[in-house]
Amino acid sequence: MFLALLEMKAARGRFLLMGSVVVLVAALVGIVSGFTTGLGDDTVSALRRLPATHIAFAAGSDSDQFARGLIDDRTTTGWTREKNVEATPLGISITHGTTGRGTEVDLAAFGVEPGAFAAPGIDDGKPLARSRPHGIVVSRQLVSEGVRIGDTLLIDRLGIRLDVVGTTGRSSYGHVPVAYVTTDTWRQIRFTAPGAKAAPADLPVQYSAMALKLPADADTKALAEADRRHGTTTVPLETAFEAAPGYDGERLTMTSIQTFLFLIAPLVVGAFFAVWTVQRTPELALLRALGASRRRLLGHTLAQAAVVVATGTAVGAALASGVGLLVGEQVPFSLPASTLSTTMAAVALVGLAGSALTLRRVTTVDPMTMLGAGR
């Protein structure tokens, strides 16, 4: 180890250059990971907040089910009568509104039953209630855009006026801040034609999906049978994320970028140590001639690789965290400690794997090289 560190000190320029490359690769992987997590949260955080285990969609809707699929009143009633299942209707629509103070906002209206398990927790103000049928609870992003408790929010083109009664935590759907309304209000938003006046009783009794809470030991056969009876397709909550607009495409894009970075890292590190091994072949031959074992030379090389990769990865992790602090909530970026640790560990492992590509040349160096066998 002493010899490895001594050699790194003698050629510190080269090792600093290689370390800088590792820093940039690690930081880039960390930043991409932060954007991957942040974009995912910005697309489905409202769904993640649902205390549900499964989502039941109308059978036959294969993509974008929250927007294209509708379940009727009969299905809703059937699911609520199922044994060992908590079920509540859920409506999701993206719309646009303007407050009485002229603040324009885009919002994803989540229709929930007041008091049901899908209703949001309240940070400030009052929760949704049947006694306030035109109440609306807004997420923290809408508060940051200028929506306040006590405001009246006018849904554009529909003339529906909603009173902001409370606020809840950060919650988004399809990169749009979420606001929670009663299911009757949601039906007005979803089914009222622009310029028309319609009471909730005159509108279709339909919803986007059913939110379900099933016990951990739920029988899959019984669930399939319930789907058959009610004409639905039930999927786990995590699978339902794919029904959010853009979720699959964004995840595939960001994951592909991460994959290419993980492929680049070992190649870069391996290329550096391959060149470095060729340049110091005479020194390695001398060590072999003096009696150094192959195992010692392997340890010597791996120690140098470990120092370069570990130090570069740690600095890259700090740089990625700094970027996260710098951008704050201005962009969808999220890099929790667990994700950062896992990502950096993967970078370090693939970097060390790249250095391992040079080990064969280290172990096969000929000590006779120092006696002129190469001439």
Side-chain angles (χ1 to χ4, degrees):
M1 186 64 183
F2 172 75
L3 185 59
L5 295 177
L6 190 64
E7 192 173 26
M8 291 179 67
K9 182 179 179 181
R12 55 182 174 271
R14 296 176 184 177
F15 282 98
L16 283 174
L17 179 61
M18 183 56 212
S20 299
V21 174
V22 175
V23 168
L24 294 177
V25 171
L28 187 55
V29 172
I31 291 170
V32 171
S33 179
F35 279 116
T36 302
T37 306
L39 286 169
D41 286 343
D42 208 44
T43 303
V44 297
S45 62
L47 297 178
R48 284 198 177 108
R49 290 190 62 186
L50 283 176
T53 59
H54 293 72
I55 300 292
F57 296 105
S61 52
D62 298 327
S63 63
D64 201 10
Q65 293 97 320
F66 285 115
R68 299 179 181 178
L70 289 172
I71 58 174
D72 57 22
D73 189 37
R74 181 185 63 82
T75 301
T76 303
T77 303
W79 268 114
T80 55
R81 291 176 178 174
E82 287 288 334
K83 295 181 179 179
N84 301 320
V85 177
E86 287 187 68
T88 183
L90 177 67
I92 299 178
S93 293
I94 296 178
T95 186
H96 184 85
T98 306
T99 67
R101 293 180 288 106
T103 302
E104 297 184 4
V105 292
D106 293 316
L107 59 106
F110 269 48
V112 297
E113 291 284 352
F117 68 83
I122 300 300
D123 292 345
D124 194 12
K126 299 177 181 179
L128 294 175
R130 297 186 186 279
S131 59
R132 294 185 294 272
H134 292 97
I136 182 172
V137 174
V138 299
S139 59
R140 196 170 68 201
Q141 297 99 306
L142 289 171
V143 174
S144 65
E145 291 181 19
V147 181
R148 301 288 183 266
I149 294 177
D151 283 352
T152 298
L153 189 65
L154 177 66
I155 303 301
D156 292 354
R157 299 185 303 122
L158 302 180
I160 300 172
R161 294 183 178 274
L162 305 174
D163 300 321
V164 180
V165 298
T167 65
T168 187
R170 189 175 182 85
S171 187
S172 322
Y173 174 80
H175 304 298
V176 180
V178 166
Y180 297 88
V181 297
T182 64
T183 48
D184 283 345
T185 299
W186 177 82
R187 287 168 50 229
Q188 286 184 289
I189 295 173
R190 175 67 173 80
F191 298 113
T192 300
K197 298 290 184 180
D202 301 327
L203 299 172
V205 185
Q206 295 179 326
Y207 308 95
S208 300
M210 289 291 293
L212 310 177
K213 284 183 71 173
L214 277 65
D217 58 349
D219 187 353
T220 55
K221 291 184 179 180
L223 183 61
E225 178 62 24
D227 273 334
R228 188 191 65 78
R229 288 196 303 271
H230 304 311
T232 56
T233 300
T234 300
V235 298
L237 180 63
E238 292 76 13
T239 304
F241 295 166
E242 299 173 4
Y247 181 76
D248 273 346
E250 290 174 355
R251 186 176 59 174
L252 178 61
T253 300
M254 302 306 290
T255 302
S256 299
I257 295 173
Q258 280 186 303
T259 301
F260 278 111
L261 290 174
F262 280 125
L263 292 175
I264 290 170
L267 294 178
V268 172
V269 176
F272 171 81
F273 278 99
V275 173
W276 177 243
T277 301
V278 171
Q279 291 178 338
R280 64 193 183 109
T281 297
E283 289 83 354
L284 293 174
L286 176 60
L287 291 173
R288 289 285 291 129
L290 293 174
S293 65
R294 289 187 176 89
R295 179 179 297 179
R296 185 170 184 179
L297 293 183
L298 284 175
H300 174 83
T301 302
L302 287 175
Q304 290 179 337
V307 170
V308 172
V309 172
T311 303
T313 301
V315 176
L319 186 59
S321 298
V323 170
L325 293 175
L326 182 63
V327 298
E329 295 186 356
Q330 299 175 6
V331 296
F333 186 94
S334 176
L335 192 59
S338 58
T339 302
L340 180 62
S341 301
T342 303
T343 303
M344 292 302 107
V347 172
L349 287 175
V350 297
L352 290 175
S355 67
L357 298 175
T358 66
L359 297 182
R360 183 178 180 278
R361 190 175 187 90
V362 173
T363 57
T364 56
V365 66
D366 187 1
M368 294 299 292
T369 300
M370 294 306 298
L371 300 178
R375 294 193 180 95

